[in-house]
Amino acid sequence: AVRMKAVASLRFRSVDCWSYLLLFALAQGAQAIGSERFLESVSGVTRDGRVVVSVQFIQRLQYLSHSPSDYGESVEIRLHRLGSAPQLPGAIAGEGLKELSPAQLPQIRLVRASGNLDSDPGVSVRFDRARRFEVRAGSNDRTLDIVLEAEPAVELEAAAEPLPDAPAVPAGASAQEQQLAELFRQARLAFNAGQYQRVNAIYDKIIAAGVEPYVREARVALGVARAERGQDAQARAQFERYLQDYPDGPEARRVQRLLDELLARAAAHDPAGAPLAQRRQPWQVFGSFDQFYLLDHGKLDGRDSETFRSSLLNSANLNWQGQTGNLNVSGRFAGSYDYSFLSERDSPMRVSYLYLDLADVDGDHQGRIGRQRLPGSGVLGYFDGLHYQFRLDQRRALRYVVGSPMRATGEGVDSDRLFNGLAMDFNGADNRWLLSLYGIYQSFDGETDRRALGAEGRYLGERITAYSLLDYDTSFDELNIFYLSGSWRVRDGTVAGLTLDHRRSPGLALSNAVRGLGLDDFSDLEREFSREELERLAKDRSLVFRSAYASLTQQLDARWQVLLDGGVYSLRDDSGIPGNEGLDSDDWYLYGQLVGNGLFRSGDLFSAGLRYTQAEHMDITSVLLRGRVPVNDRLQLTPRLRLDFRDRDDGGSQRRLLPSLFTSYRLTRRTALELDLGVEFSRIEAEQGEDRDDRFLYLSAGYRHDF
């Protein structure tokens, strides 16, 4: 009976798979409009005199391009999703975060996920002020790096250039704006020469002119100049006025921190003329909490309206860090509870991260225990367990990991599967390259589930960045993963990228045979199947995915940019089972986009793109239009429009129109309101049968509070 069940499962796997894909295609209508939550965390380190900010994702995403090119108060980054397995609508909701405001990184005000993973994923990053920056692929396929010029640890002790820069002068600026920008330059020269009375007079003149954003920046500069001279009361007055008039201004976080330091100095009776010093609390707790109402509603032609989703998504991201004795202590909790108002749907709770970090102050010993993710050790995804690292010297480290892998963050600990892994890291003398070699053994129900050797490498150069992963399963004697991704800055304004990917999906593991049959362990299978037959069953549940992507970004001038990318990808079933040939697919796409920024006012961005996809059973032509319009310091609008023209091989066709609008309003410095609303109008013209007109609605509305 078990053998018959196994054979039946394999024979009907193609039917199940196509049913799954059909469900995905029918239900994705409204979900494809809204922006998804795929951010994981943000961290930063100082390297080679610059601050490297790393944005981590929960999905494998490839960096394609960004705009503007190297200077501004914000940057829009375009990504491409890597991978083969389709996601059911809502499968990723609650797994990641929509926004991050890293309190430990004063240079970054906000990181926001934008777009849909399957069409136009992207990231918007807002800085504390206009900055020079560089964007590049990160250290692995779930990381993006933003490189900023390093700043002194003490904001007001920088004797060289402590004052904010003048706002960027837009093209076609009036004579008055050019004169105000020149006054900023004169104020800096006067400050460096010690002519403080002249500094105050110049900034007072700029403020009196009443022209934004020069007034805004002058208030910060005047406050900094007065605080540096020990005129605390006057400095506090400027900082308080700034926060009152510009609660969401680009320098709001920095101004608040400086104001807190002035108040702390007054409370501690510091000498009035002493320079400000950065005071770090021994313990810090920071993070965010958000609540969003999510609605997916649709009406198929000739049928009653149906609500696919109506829920309240509650998400929390809590971080803590501090020092006790000779130990640095930190930790993180990230989770969500999606309360459904529909009786037929579950209300899942997810815990993506829950761990505690301990490290000695010298960094020789580091340990993390709890729910986590870990690159470079052969653990492919989330796991519950322990990771320990011992640094042998400045260039070598030994790591050990033990735990249980997770299939989904909505599930508890999987005690049936256990793994042990050992890795050795080798760092280059200049910290530009890293090579990690690992071995891992995983068991399931007492049997060998996965046994693999692998290598992970990365190179971060001035013009070239590259990341590669090789995972070979010695139990199945077959390649599990080969991945190579790199970007090359050909010259200033020209960046090329290439990604090659070969992998098993899902990854090779003996437990695939059990999971595919809906069983819990090997007890029934072992009496009916040999080890070789079980391995064959497991391999037959794992498809082979191959892809190659290439991209080119060309900066035309300070405002305009052209983006080109394309790729081929295939899904293969090598089981040889009759009836499964239909699972094979060969697809390719080409995409071109024109992006303009700062066209009408500082911070705006507009893009127009054309994408052609030749899928296995249809050809798709898409037109994508998008804008980002900062109305003021508090309100930002992001209108979007997508047109899809789908021509199926059977002669039928589909036309889709998807207008949507994302709105963000900063209520206070730490609280923001968001609304994401979109509709889809779909017309299906069948070769045989009646035509259909369907409608879908997507709504996401809520708030987010940072603390």
Side-chain angles (χ1 to χ4, degrees):
V2 175
R3 179 179 291 273
M4 292 179 62
K5 183 178 181 181
V7 174
S9 173
L10 290 174
R11 286 185 175 177
F12 289 100
R13 179 161 64 98
S14 61
V15 178
D16 295 339
C17 182
W18 283 114
S19 298
Y20 176 82
L21 293 175
L22 179 61
L23 174 63
F24 171 72
L26 290 176
Q28 73 169 346
Q31 180 70 21
I33 301 171
S35 300
E36 297 184 76
R37 306 163 65 94
F38 52 80
L39 293 177
E40 183 174 277
S41 62
V42 178
S43 60
V45 297
T46 300
R47 183 184 301 135
D48 297 333
R50 297 181 295 176
V51 177
V52 181
V53 178
S54 295
V55 182
Q56 292 86 35
F57 310 115
I58 65 170
Q59 290 278 315
R60 298 173 55 240
L61 294 170
Q62 175 192 14
Y63 161 74
L64 291 179
S65 62
H66 66 277
S67 183
S69 60
D70 57 6
Y71 183 80
E73 295 182 357
S74 63
V75 59
E76 195 84 9
I77 304 169
R78 183 167 171 260
L79 307 168
H80 175 78
R81 181 183 182 182
L82 300 168
S84 59
Q87 294 280 344
L88 280 175
I92 200 171
E95 288 278 354
L97 301 169
K98 180 69 174 294
E99 289 188 354
L100 288 167
S101 296
Q104 75 279 21
L105 294 175
Q107 302 90 348
I108 304 297
R109 293 188 57 217
L110 182 69
V111 180
R112 173 185 290 139
S114 62
N116 179 264
L117 282 171
D118 292 317
S119 58
D120 58 342
V123 170
S124 299
V125 181
R126 296 175 64 186
F127 306 121
D128 60 337
R129 59 178 174 82
R131 288 181 174 273
R132 292 284 176 186
F133 59 82
E134 175 189 347
V135 182
R136 65 190 187 191
S139 59
N140 56 57
D141 55 357
R142 294 188 301 107
T143 305
L144 175 78
D145 285 347
I146 304 169
V147 184
L148 307 171
E149 293 183 1
E151 291 184 326
V154 180
E155 291 284 350
L156 300 181
E157 287 186 348
E161 290 188 343
L163 303 181
D165 293 327
V169 180
S174 65
Q176 184 184 25
E177 290 178 314
Q178 296 178 12
Q179 181 183 10
L180 293 174
E182 172 63 21
L183 288 177
F184 269 92
R185 189 184 70 84
Q186 294 178 14
R188 181 182 296 277
L189 293 175
F191 186 90
N192 293 338
Q195 301 171 356
Y196 300 119
Q197 294 285 354
R198 175 170 167 75
V199 171
N200 295 342
I202 292 175
Y203 286 130
D204 285 337
K205 183 177 181 180
I206 296 174
I207 293 173
V211 179
E212 297 290 0
Y214 302 95
V215 174
R216 183 187 67 194
E217 299 303 316
R219 288 205 180 278
V220 181
L222 183 56
V224 170
R226 289 190 177 276
E228 188 67 16
R229 295 185 59 201
Q231 300 174 346
D232 289 6
Q234 295 90 333
R236 284 163 52 187
Q238 294 298 330
F239 291 154
E240 289 170 352
R241 179 66 181 272
Y242 180 96
L243 295 175
Q244 176 183 344
D245 294 344
Y246 316 102
D248 194 37
E251 297 271 14
R253 180 176 295 179
R254 180 190 182 204
V255 169
Q256 182 64 62
R257 186 172 67 254
L258 297 178
L259 179 60
D260 292 342
E261 291 173 354
L262 285 171
L263 295 173
R265 183 162 72 185
H269 304 287
D270 286 349
L276 281 176
Q278 189 176 19
R279 291 179 172 85
R280 293 188 179 275
Q281 297 296 328
W283 288 93
Q284 287 184 316
V285 178
F286 54 91
S288 65
F289 175 77
D290 63 64
Q291 287 186 307
F292 282 86
Y293 174 70
L294 303 177
L295 173 68
D296 284 338
H297 185 80
K299 185 179 188 311
L300 303 180
D301 198 355
R303 301 185 185 181
D304 294 334
S305 299
E306 182 177 356
T307 299
F308 303 105
R309 178 176 188 171
S310 177
S311 66
L312 182 65
L313 181 62
N314 308 271
S315 302
N317 179 39
L318 177 65
N319 303 267
W320 60 92
Q321 62 186 30
Q323 184 174 336
T324 175
N326 292 325
L327 281 179
N328 291 323
V329 182
S330 62
R332 183 185 181 193
F333 167 80
S336 67
Y337 176 63
D338 191 10
Y339 178 78
S340 177
F341 297 105
L342 304 178
S343 57
E344 65 273 15
R345 289 198 58 175
D346 296 332
S347 298
M349 178 179 292
R350 306 177 189 272
V351 178
S352 301
Y353 287 94
L354 180 57
Y355 62 74
L356 178 68
D357 272 341
L358 298 174
D360 65 347
V361 292
D362 296 327
D364 293 335
H365 300 271
Q366 299 180 30
R368 173 179 293 182
I369 185 170
R371 180 160 296 182
Q372 54 189 289
R373 291 186 77 162
L374 180 67
S377 294
V379 186
L380 308 177
Y382 292 98
F383 70 95
D384 295 301
L386 169 69
H387 172 239
Y388 168 73
Q389 174 178 298
F390 173 63
R391 190 175 65 180
L392 300 174
D393 52 39
Q394 293 297 324
R395 298 179 58 183
R396 297 177 302 163
L398 184 66
R399 296 187 288 117
Y400 171 71
V401 61
V402 58
S404 300
M406 300 182 61
R407 291 187 300 272
T409 56
E411 300 181 2
V413 178
D414 184 2
S415 58
D416 292 332
R417 293 192 296 170
L418 300 172
F419 64 78
N420 288 268
L422 193 64
M424 176 69 79
D425 296 340
F426 301 90
N427 281 281
D430 55 0
N431 286 323
R432 292 189 179 276
W433 63 267
L434 168 71
L435 175 64
S436 180
L437 305 177
Y438 67 81
I440 188 169
Y441 174 82
Q442 180 173 301
S443 64
F444 174 77
D445 195 29
E447 296 287 338
T448 299
D449 187 37
R450 164 172 156 78
R451 187 176 63 221
L453 297 174
E456 183 178 24
R458 70 171 183 259
Y459 175 76
L460 304 176
E462 290 295 331
R463 291 190 172 271
I464 297 177
T465 64
Y467 168 75
S468 181
L469 173 64
L470 176 69
D471 187 277
Y472 187 85
D473 195 296
T474 59
S475 178
F476 286 87
D477 195 21
E478 187 166 326
L479 181 65
N480 191 31
I481 298 174
F482 171 74
Y483 177 81
L484 175 63
S485 179
S487 64
W488 175 31
R489 186 182 298 248
V490 182
R491 59 186 181 184
D492 291 344
T494 305
V495 179
L498 177 66
T499 297
L500 304 175
D501 194 2
H502 170 102
R503 68 183 59 226
R504 285 282 187 167
S505 180
L508 292 170
L510 194 65
S511 55
N512 288 344
V514 177
R515 301 301 186 190
L517 297 174
L519 304 176
D520 296 325
D521 52 48
F522 284 116
S523 58
D524 294 329
L525 288 176
E526 288 178 326
R527 291 193 295 267
E528 301 290 338
F529 296 94
S530 65
R531 171 77 188 192
E532 291 75 14
E533 289 176 315
L534 288 176
E535 290 183 355
R536 179 59 186 273
L537 285 172
K539 286 182 62 175
D540 289 342
R541 307 294 301 188
S542 179
L543 302 181
V544 179
F545 175 75
R546 298 184 181 93
S547 66
Y549 303 101
S551 63
L552 179 66
T553 303
Q554 178 62 56
Q555 194 74 32
L556 302 179
D557 56 30
R559 293 187 176 188
W560 293 99
Q561 184 183 75
V562 173
L563 320 173
L564 300 172
D565 69 272
V568 295
Y569 43 98
S570 67
L571 200 61
R572 286 284 180 269
D573 179 292
D574 60 358
S575 65
I577 300 173
N580 279 3
E581 297 85 356
L583 290 176
D584 295 346
S585 66
D586 290 287
D587 305 335
W588 60 271
Y589 82 94
L590 290 173
Y591 185 73
Q593 186 179 34
L594 178 66
V595 180
N597 65 86
L599 302 182
F600 302 101
R601 60 177 301 169
S602 176
D604 69 11
L605 185 142
F606 299 90
S607 66
L610 180 64
R611 177 184 177 117
Y612 177 77
T613 303
Q614 188 175 84
E616 186 66 22
H617 297 286
M618 69 175 66
D619 297 338
I620 306 172
T621 302
S622 301
V623 178
L624 298 98
L625 305 175
R626 186 166 181 257
R628 184 185 67 199
V629 184
V631 180
N632 52 42
D633 286 339
R634 292 176 180 263
L635 178 63
Q636 178 172 292
L637 303 178
T638 304
R640 295 165 294 193
L641 179 65
R642 175 170 178 167
L643 298 169
D644 277 355
F645 304 90
R646 302 183 175 187
D647 297 315
R648 298 197 301 267
D649 293 347
D650 61 7
S653 64
Q654 181 184 16
R655 303 294 181 259
R656 301 170 69 211
L657 174 65
L658 298 91
S660 61
L661 176 66
F662 175 79
T663 304
S664 175
Y665 180 77
R666 180 69 56 175
L667 192 62
T668 67
R669 290 191 302 274
R670 296 187 176 183
T671 305
L673 305 178
E674 290 185 5
L675 174 67
D676 200 353
L677 175 65
V679 294
E680 175 186 340
F681 303 95
S682 171
R683 178 170 181 81
I684 299 177
E685 299 178 355
E687 180 70 12
Q688 296 179 351
E690 299 181 356
D691 297 340
R692 288 176 44 188
D693 290 300
D694 303 329
R695 297 191 304 273
F696 298 93
L697 170 69
Y698 169 87
L699 171 66
S700 171
Y703 72 92
R704 184 178 63 89
H705 179 72
D706 300 317
F707 56 86

